[in-house]
Structure formats: C-alpha cells, structure tokens
C-alpha cells in the first residue's frame, strides 16, 4: 500500500483517540528537541534485523507485551531483580532488550535525557514491521517512562490457552475491539514459538492424549514432526506456516484453513465476529474493493500504542532503559 496513504490512515487512527486522554502524543514529537531520534532508532533496528532476521518479530512482540502491562511505558525493560515485570510467566520468550538499549545509548550521546525508552520500543516495533516487508507508518510519540515494574502486574497477559471469551475480555479491558484482537494477533505473521506452548494442543488437548480437533488433519503430522512428543520443548517453530519471515495476511489464511500453529490464533476462527473479520480480508479484489489488512493493522498498532501512556509531567525519561533514574 502507498506509504503516504498509510501515514494518513495512521493519522486518522490517532485522531480518533484524541479524546482518550492521550492527546499529548503527537507525530514528530522530537522534531525540535531531537530531530535525529527516529533515524537513529531505525538504523539500530535495521542493523539488528540484518544481523538476525528473527529480531523483527521479537521487537514487534516486545511492544505488545510492554503495552499490555501498565500501558506503553517501558516497564518491561526494567531489571530490578526477581520481582521485575520482565520475569513474568506471560512474558516468556520476550526479547529485544539489547536492541532497545543500543538505540538508547546512541540517543543519549546525541540528545541526552530527551527520548523515552517507551517511545524507542514503539518506534522499533514500527521499523521491525517495515524490515519484514510490512507497512511503514507514522508513530505518535511523546510517551514517558513508567516508574513501576513488578512481576505481579503481568499476571493477566493474554495466553495461548485462553478461550476466545477470555481473549476478547482481556483486549476489551485495554480499550481494544474484537477487530483489534484479530489484527494484533495477525502480528504472528512473523516469528516463532517454542514447542513448550504446543505440547498440550498436540498431545493432551482431549482425553486419551488426543490433539486439538480444530487442527487441519493434513497439517497435524507436520506439526507433530516439528514438536514430537517428549521432545525438546525449547525447539522453536514458525508461527505463520509457510511465511514466517514476511509480513503478510498468510496468517489469517492459515487460521481460516485450520493451519494455525497457536491455539489462541485458531480460536479466532471459532467466534462469529472474529471469523467475519478474518473473512473480510479474503476477498478476491482486496484491498481495492474491500478493507486493507495492512491499513487496518496500522490502525490497530497505533491504537495499541496509546494504551495507558504517561505524558507531560508523569513518568520520567530514563537515562538507561533497564533502570529507573
């Protein structure tokens, strides 16, 4: 999709949220105070993804996990012992911290104590999507970093084993719709998961050790071969079967065909509303005569990036992302 159109759509999505108390975020927030902020973050992300292509998905996931606990405030970045939020069970496998710290290090040289770690996370996610052949879009900035990070606050993260009702409820609590649930879940178009999260679905979903019946019978043997019973649960497999390093709508097609890897993704096909959202992107003439998956994904990402932000005099601008000032 045309970059300028995506920018306009991102602006419209942001404007729709101006009444939610996040109006102090704006595009080009650092235009005067640190004009090189976004180019610096982009350069660091590009180097990281070139060095390790899986880093694109890692940085995208980091933004999601940060926003769902205490809002998009960089709380997941803090290292303050065993009680740190990043040690929560729901954050297992979350990474990319070193990339955020690298960007922060460069920014502190150029613009000391100006750019928040929370904004770096949001910008890095955007740049990671672009590096995976996804849409490049504008991100409103001006977030400040939170002063709280506690493992107990991450107890209600969305989980792969959640029912569709639980997933919808958890997103609703963050001001997100069922459509947002589908689109943000579609971020699984890039990245991998560990066999640890597949064991129950493949070998203990039904009495007698049977698999999840929603898995396409033609796909099930392949899944089992990648995650054999009693095998290494740390082995990582692609979440988007057949398209794990490219941002596209294949993840939605896989969900619709019963080839979703994650149980939570598969459940999107069980609910009439979320299923209809998936179907809306499958038209023969999309996105010309129907909704655009890329444009709607951008809208949901911008919306998610507004959750619980600290602005103005709230929070702080950390000098090092892993530590409070």
């Amino acid at each position: 999709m045309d970059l300028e159109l995506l920018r306009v759509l991102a602006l419209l999505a942001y404007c729709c949220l101006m009444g939610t108390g996040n109006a102090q975020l704006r595009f080009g927030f650092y235009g005067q105070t640190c004009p090189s902020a976004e180019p610096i973050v982009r350069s660091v992300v590009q180097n990281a993804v070139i060095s390790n292509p899986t880093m694109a998905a890692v940085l995208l996931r980091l933004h999601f996990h940060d926003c769902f606990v205490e809002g998009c405030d960089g709380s997941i970045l803090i290292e303050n012992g065993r009680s740190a939020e990043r040690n929560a069970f729901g954050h297992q496998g979350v990474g990319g911290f070193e990339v955020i710290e690298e960007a922060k290090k460069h920014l502190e040289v150029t613009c000391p104590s100006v750019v928040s770690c929370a904004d770096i996370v949001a910008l890095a996610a955007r740049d990671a999507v672009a590096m995976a052949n996804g849409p490049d879009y504008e991100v409103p900035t001006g977030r400040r970093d939170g002063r709280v990070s506690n493992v107990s606050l991450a107890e209600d993260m969305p989980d792969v084993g959640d029912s569709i009702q639980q997933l919808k409820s958890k997103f609703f609590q963050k001001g997100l719709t069922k459509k947002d649930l589908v689109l943000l879940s579609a971020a699984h178009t890039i990245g991998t998961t560990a066999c640890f999260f597949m064991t129950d679905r493949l070998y203990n979903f039904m009495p007698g050790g049977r698999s999840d019946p929603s898995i396409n019978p033609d796909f099930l043997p392949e899944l089992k071969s990648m995650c054999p019973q009693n095998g290494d649960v740390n082995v990582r497999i692609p979440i988007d079967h057949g398209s794990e390093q490219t941002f596209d709508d294949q993840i939605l097609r896989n969900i619709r065909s019963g080839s979703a890897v994650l149980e939570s993704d598969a459940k999107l096909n069980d609910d009439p509303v979320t299923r209809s959202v998936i179907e809306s992107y499958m038209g023969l003439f999309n996105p010309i005569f129907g909704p655009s998956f890329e444009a709607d994904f951008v809208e949901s990402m911008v919306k998610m990036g507004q959750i619980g932000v600290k602005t103005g005099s709230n929070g702080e601008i950390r000098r090092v992302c892993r530590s409070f000032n």
Side-chain angles (χ1 to χ4, degrees):
M1 176 170 284
D2 180 76
L3 175 57
E4 191 58 37
L5 177 57
L6 283 170
R7 285 174 173 165
V8 171
L9 289 169
L11 176 60
L12 289 173
Y14 170 66
C15 290
C16 289
L17 293 163
M18 292 291 279
T20 65
N22 300 331
Q24 289 171 281
L25 294 190
R26 66 177 188 268
F27 297 115
F29 181 85
Y30 299 109
Q32 298 299 318
T33 56
C34 189
S36 59
E38 294 195 27
I40 286 173
V41 174
R42 180 165 296 227
S43 177
V44 171
V45 170
Q46 288 175 338
N47 289 337
V49 175
I50 290 171
S51 176
N52 177 9
T54 66
M55 188 55 66
V58 170
L59 291 170
L60 179 54
R61 186 181 182 209
L62 177 63
H63 184 35
F64 175 86
H65 280 253
D66 182 38
C67 289
F68 259 71
V69 181
E70 287 295 288
C72 311
D73 68 348
S75 58
I76 196 172
L77 305 174
I78 292 295
E79 286 183 343
N80 58 351
R82 295 179 63 181
S83 65
E85 179 198 316
R86 68 160 70 182
N87 296 320
F89 180 83
H91 290 331
Q92 287 184 95
V94 174
F97 304 108
E98 70 281 4
V99 178
I100 305 303
E101 289 289 2
E102 180 70 11
K104 182 62 172 174
K105 181 177 72 175
H106 288 284
L107 287 165
E108 285 299 297
V109 171
T110 306
C111 315
S113 300
V114 172
V115 182
S116 70
C117 299
D119 273 343
I120 296 173
V121 172
L123 292 168
R126 183 269 310 275
D127 296 335
V129 168
M131 286 292 288
N133 202 37
D136 192 357
Y137 55 95
E138 296 288 347
V139 173
T141 45
R143 299 166 186 81
R144 289 172 66 84
D145 299 319
R147 295 191 176 102
V148 176
S149 179
N150 192 287
V151 67
S152 65
L153 298 173
E155 292 178 346
D156 205 29
M157 281 293 299
D159 184 78
V160 293
D162 282 345
S163 69
I164 187 64
Q165 294 302 325
Q166 287 174 310
L167 290 169
K168 289 190 294 186
S169 175
K170 289 179 179 181
F171 274 67
F172 178 77
Q173 289 168 17
K174 300 299 179 182
L176 300 171
T177 66
K178 297 169 187 176
K179 182 178 179 180
D180 295 321
L181 168 60
V182 172
L183 289 159
L184 294 173
S185 297
H188 293 151
T189 180
I190 54 175
T192 62
T193 189
C195 286
F196 172 82
F197 296 106
M198 300 299 299
T199 302
D200 284 347
R201 189 175 190 219
L202 293 177
Y203 303 108
N204 195 32
F205 193 84
M206 304 279 285
R210 287 180 292 169
S211 305
D212 181 351
S214 72
I215 302 174
N216 189 316
D218 294 330
F219 184 46
L220 182 58
E222 184 176 350
L223 267 183
K224 286 188 170 183
S225 70
M226 291 188 287
C227 294
Q229 192 168 22
N230 301 319
D232 184 354
V233 296
N234 295 311
V235 168
R236 301 196 69 83
I237 65 172
I239 304 177
D240 188 9
H241 179 63
S243 181
E244 67 270 18
Q245 290 190 7
T246 302
F247 184 97
D248 54 27
D249 66 4
Q250 184 61 42
I251 184 71
L252 300 181
R253 299 177 186 278
N254 287 342
I255 292 170
R256 187 175 66 160
S257 69
S259 300
V261 171
L262 294 177
E263 183 183 344
S264 55
D265 287 348
K267 286 174 179 172
L268 298 175
N269 206 40
D270 295 340
D271 179 81
V273 176
T274 52
R275 183 171 60 247
S276 69
V277 174
I278 294 172
E279 293 288 348
S280 72
Y281 300 112
M282 301 293 104
L284 182 62
F285 298 106
N286 284 43
I288 300 173
F289 297 114
S292 164
F293 166 64
E294 287 196 355
D296 286 354
F297 175 81
V298 166
E299 183 175 342
S300 289
M301 283 292 290
V302 171
K303 186 176 181 181
M304 183 189 76
Q306 311 279 334
I307 297 173
V309 296
K310 283 104 180 141
T311 59
S313 60
N314 295 323
E316 63 184 16
I317 304 297
R318 292 183 208 143
R319 291 182 289 273
V320 177
C321 290
R322 64 179 176 272
S323 303
F324 299 122
N325 290 342

